[in-house]
Amino acid sequence: MKPIIATVLTAGGFFAASLSAIPEARAADVLTLSSPALQDNGILATKNACSDKQRTPNCVGENISPPLAWSNVPDGTKSFALLLFDPEGRAPAGVSHMVIYGIPADVKGFAEGELSKPSDKFIGGKNLMGVGIYFGPGTPPNTDWHHYTFTLVATDLDPKALQPGMTRDELAAALKDHVKGSAGLVTRFKHPS
């Protein structure tokens, strides 16, 4: 019995020693999405709301996308996808406000308003409004806060690997087994009435 205990203790010691050789994960090494204009759970400005009053009277803004930046890109990343989703919109399905992808790995963010128009820095997918760019919040009057989650996905796909016009669900299926990491930034907005 004693040789078995000694073997278990020795194996446990080797296991503990091998764990100590693994580099320690630090928060600084995690893919991070941020905005110089917003804090996590911060409030989107009215200028960030949608501007298409012909589509809906709930549009009260200028459709200016907020600036976004990211850091600590995972090894092996070749491109990024960037999504904006409102889970409270059009319950129970939510509203997809932005689906873009094919962002080259050397891009580290977007300036204010840059996602509100087509760019050679990304491929436009298709949000609920049928466009491949940012479409800001359009919450109805007299409703509570809606939460808008920006999600950045690092992938091992070439920036030109996916065709334009993919929906959020189609993109999710295409990214299966190609995700290197992801990060989110939650913001809030409600109609200013």
Side-chain angles (χ1 to χ4, degrees):
M1 186 66 104
K2 287 184 182 182
I4 293 173
I5 292 173
T7 303
V8 169
L9 289 175
T10 302
F14 286 126
F15 179 69
S18 67
L19 283 179
S20 66
I22 296 173
E24 188 177 320
R26 297 179 306 268
D29 296 331
V30 175
L31 179 63
T32 303
L33 177 63
S34 62
S35 172
L38 295 165
Q39 292 183 337
D40 202 28
N41 202 32
I43 298 171
L44 284 165
T46 301
K47 69 181 177 182
N48 301 130
C50 61
S51 62
D52 189 351
K53 291 172 183 51
Q54 290 181 335
R55 182 182 294 268
T56 173
N58 299 335
C59 287
V60 295
E62 300 169 51
N63 204 57
I64 298 172
S65 61
L68 296 170
W70 50 87
S71 58
N72 303 315
V73 175
D75 290 342
T77 298
K78 294 181 182 174
S79 69
F80 297 98
L82 187 58
L83 308 163
L84 176 60
F85 188 72
D86 168 14
E88 290 96 358
R90 298 191 184 181
V95 174
S96 175
H97 282 266
M98 182 175 66
V99 179
I100 65 171
Y101 43 89
I103 304 165
D106 60 350
V107 173
K108 302 295 183 221
F110 292 99
E112 181 177 69
E114 195 172 2
L115 296 170
S116 301
K117 56 188 180 250
S119 170
D120 60 357
K121 289 185 183 177
F122 62 82
I123 296 170
K126 187 188 300 181
N127 61 21
L128 185 66
M129 286 56 76
V131 298
I133 57 173
Y134 174 87
F135 193 91
T139 57
N142 305 313
T143 57
D144 203 358
W145 294 101
H146 282 217
H147 295 82
Y148 295 84
T149 303
F150 288 92
T151 305
L152 177 72
V153 182
T155 83
D156 64 4
L157 293 173
D158 183 87
K160 303 291 185 198
L162 303 174
Q163 76 273 11
M166 297 178 82
T167 65
R168 182 175 181 259
D169 291 340
E170 291 168 339
L171 179 62
L175 294 182
K176 186 177 185 311
D177 300 325
H178 294 285
V179 174
K180 305 296 287 178
S182 62
L185 176 65
V186 178
T187 59
R188 296 178 292 141
F189 185 80
K190 70 177 180 177
H191 197 282
S193 64

